Amino acid sequence: MQSHQEILDILKGSVLTRGMTEEETRALLASSRVRLRSLAKGEIVFHEGDTPRGLYLLIEGTLVIKKDTFSGRQIFLSELEEPGEMFGEVYEVLGLPYDMYVEAVTGARILALESALFSLPGGDLSRPALLVQQNLMRIFARKAYFMHNKIKVLASGSLREKIVRFLFQNLRADGVIELNVSREYLAAYLAVTRPSLSRELSAMVRDGILAVDGRSIRVADMEAFEAYL
């Protein structure tokens, strides 16, 4: 379990507090409108249809973002496991009810930041509140860029082409891709089932295109790899 200083360091490292002084970040963490919340495995942070009342930062543990279909099937949308990752901010800013829910898959802790932190009565903004709004705009721009890249991947024809385009976006000069996401997340990103993804990756290994070692993937045949771009 992280100490108060470690939690402060996570908050300082967040895009949300970019530009804030040490004193401003400490004051933000000490605010009565910032709450450290502990979650048990299986606990829900918020439910689909709930009204947003703030935004959240992951401190420790792993969370998953899911959505239930009308038939009762659960759809995995994303995974949060990196301290400082933010979630729920889009719904908070747009004032829209959540169309998904967030569940703890391990014991976890999060910071819940209430909406009132980011504005003052009459529309006057404190310096930290103004910085938060500016930083949220940067976050939205980054997410828009992420969606742009995702659309390019999903516009590909076959699953192999989708995999290659995704990997190409993360390819290092030495021909290695270090995945920082799980297979389940990648399958959800590519809009396929995890077994289908695993089968295609195995086929690409058999074809000599890739060499896979856990989350480390090396392009073994660059010419064959680039043929699917």
Side-chain angles (χ1 to χ4, degrees), residues 7-208:
I7 294 172
L8 177 65
D9 289 341
I10 290 171
L11 184 58
K12 285 165 55 180
S14 168
V15 178
L16 189 68
T17 60
R18 181 179 296 173
M20 288 190 193
T21 64
E22 174 88 11
E23 293 73 22
E24 288 170 334
T25 309
R26 286 185 180 276
L28 178 64
L29 183 59
S31 169
S32 62
R33 298 190 182 278
V34 175
R35 183 165 59 97
L36 182 62
R37 180 176 167 186
S38 295
L39 303 167
K41 180 180 178 180
E43 189 171 349
I44 303 298
V45 179
F46 53 74
H47 293 84
E48 186 172 353
D50 284 352
T51 300
R53 305 195 185 282
L55 52 86
Y56 304 89
L57 262 74
L58 178 65
I59 298 300
E60 65 178 344
T62 302
L63 309 175
V64 290
I65 301 175
K66 296 181 178 179
K67 185 175 180 64
D68 291 338
T69 66
F70 289 111
S71 63
R73 187 169 66 90
Q74 289 184 337
I75 300 175
F76 175 92
L77 298 177
S78 187
E79 182 177 72
L80 303 166
E81 57 182 1
E82 194 68 32
E85 283 192 272
M86 190 184 316
F87 60 100
E89 73 282 357
V90 174
Y91 300 88
E92 159 62 21
V93 171
L94 296 180
L96 296 174
Y98 300 114
D99 60 0
M100 45 69 171
Y101 63 96
V102 177
E103 179 181 350
V105 295
T106 66
R109 293 200 296 170
I110 60 175
L111 279 182
L113 295 86
E114 294 182 14
S115 311
L117 276 168
F118 314 138
S119 63
L120 295 174
D124 296 324
L125 293 178
S126 64
R127 186 184 118 85
L130 182 59
L131 285 172
V132 166
Q133 288 199 354
Q134 291 175 345
N135 291 335
L136 283 172
M137 290 299 294
R138 293 190 181 97
I139 292 166
F140 293 156
R142 187 172 61 184
K143 289 196 171 185
Y145 178 73
F146 171 85
M147 289 305 300
H148 171 70
N149 285 336
K150 184 174 182 177
I151 289 170
K152 288 195 295 185
V153 170
L154 295 180
S156 307
S158 68
L159 174 54
R160 182 168 296 197
E161 288 171 344
K162 291 178 182 180
I163 292 172
V164 167
R165 289 196 178 190
F166 174 84
L167 295 178
F168 183 74
Q169 291 176 358
N170 299 276
L171 184 65
R172 297 193 321 222
D174 60 0
V176 173
I177 304 100
E178 294 292 347
L179 292 180
N180 58 1
V181 296
S182 65
R183 289 278 183 96
E184 190 173 22
Y185 173 90
L186 181 55
Y189 181 94
L190 298 176
V192 299
T193 65
R194 182 173 174 173
S196 296
L197 172 64
S198 295
R199 282 195 299 271
E200 190 58 39
L201 284 173
S202 296
M204 294 175 76
V205 170
R206 288 196 305 271
D207 292 344

